[in-house]
Amino acid sequence: MHNLTTTTTSPTPNSTVPAPRTWARTIGTTGRIIETCPPECEDSHVNDTDGALDDLTHGYYFKGPELPVFDAQDGTALVPILAGRVQIDPYSRDLKRRRPHLNFEPFQDEVMECLTPDEFAQIIATIRAHCDQLDKVHARFAEIHDQWAEPQA
């Protein structure tokens, strides 16, 4: 059974900071540990009551827009783009993963892992610059489209 509790120690009576969530985890066959979520964690942890120590992650997902993309086998389907997850892997052997990092999915199933805030800012700047270029392509395309005359046979 999964017992996720919320302790009621908030810094001030009118504080909007959520109380930490804690629960017991079984590690291996004999170990037990009490886990506490950082404030930014939105994970349910329903399936995190047992397992290896380094299986645990904290974080939250952010959605991106969905585009109707054509696939020869499946037809047109909505595919999420520009989505990802802010994550902390508290027991990872990799220091980059133990710190808050971002896993970014520019396109479904394509992941850029373990980004720092500066690396993510560079990606945002690249996407923003490309959107400016797309605006120029759009303007030119609209002009060509509007001026098009069907060839006479």
Side-chain angles (χ1 to χ4, degrees), residues 4-138:
L4 189 65
T5 60
T6 301
T7 54
T8 57
T9 56
S10 55
T12 61
N14 297 326
S15 174
T16 59
V17 176
R21 297 179 299 148
T22 61
W23 75 100
R25 271 181 85 206
T26 301
I27 307 301
T29 56
T30 58
R32 280 185 64 78
I33 189 171
I34 301 298
E35 294 290 355
T36 301
C37 289
E40 58 279 345
C41 181
E42 295 179 1
D43 294 338
S44 72
H45 296 295
V46 170
N47 296 318
D48 291 332
T49 57
D50 57 15
L53 189 63
D54 62 356
D55 286 343
L56 182 70
T57 64
H58 294 288
Y60 68 91
Y61 289 95
F62 60 93
K63 292 183 178 185
E66 294 181 322
L67 296 179
V69 176
F70 178 76
D71 179 78
Q73 283 185 316
D74 299 325
T76 301
L78 290 176
V79 176
I81 63 166
L82 307 177
R85 177 172 165 79
V86 174
Q87 183 168 305
I88 303 163
D89 304 355
Y91 302 107
S92 175
R93 293 181 180 164
D94 183 347
L95 177 61
K96 286 176 67 173
R97 292 188 176 279
R98 284 198 310 262
R99 301 184 63 169
H101 58 278
L102 190 130
N103 297 331
F104 185 59
E105 293 185 43
F107 194 76
Q108 186 175 3
D109 299 328
E110 301 296 329
V111 181
M112 302 169 76
E113 290 191 335
C114 242
L115 299 172
T116 66
D118 288 344
E119 291 168 333
F120 189 46
Q122 290 174 346
I123 291 166
I124 293 167
T126 300
I127 292 168
R128 186 169 284 123
H130 188 65
C131 287
D132 292 344
Q133 178 64 31
L134 291 176
D135 285 338
K136 292 175 186 173
V137 170
H138 173 258

Side-chain angles (χ1 to χ4, degrees), residues 141-153:
F141 169 56
E143 183 180 311
I144 293 167
H145 183 271
D146 291 346
Q147 293 174 1
W148 180 256
E150 191 65 37
Q152 298 297 320

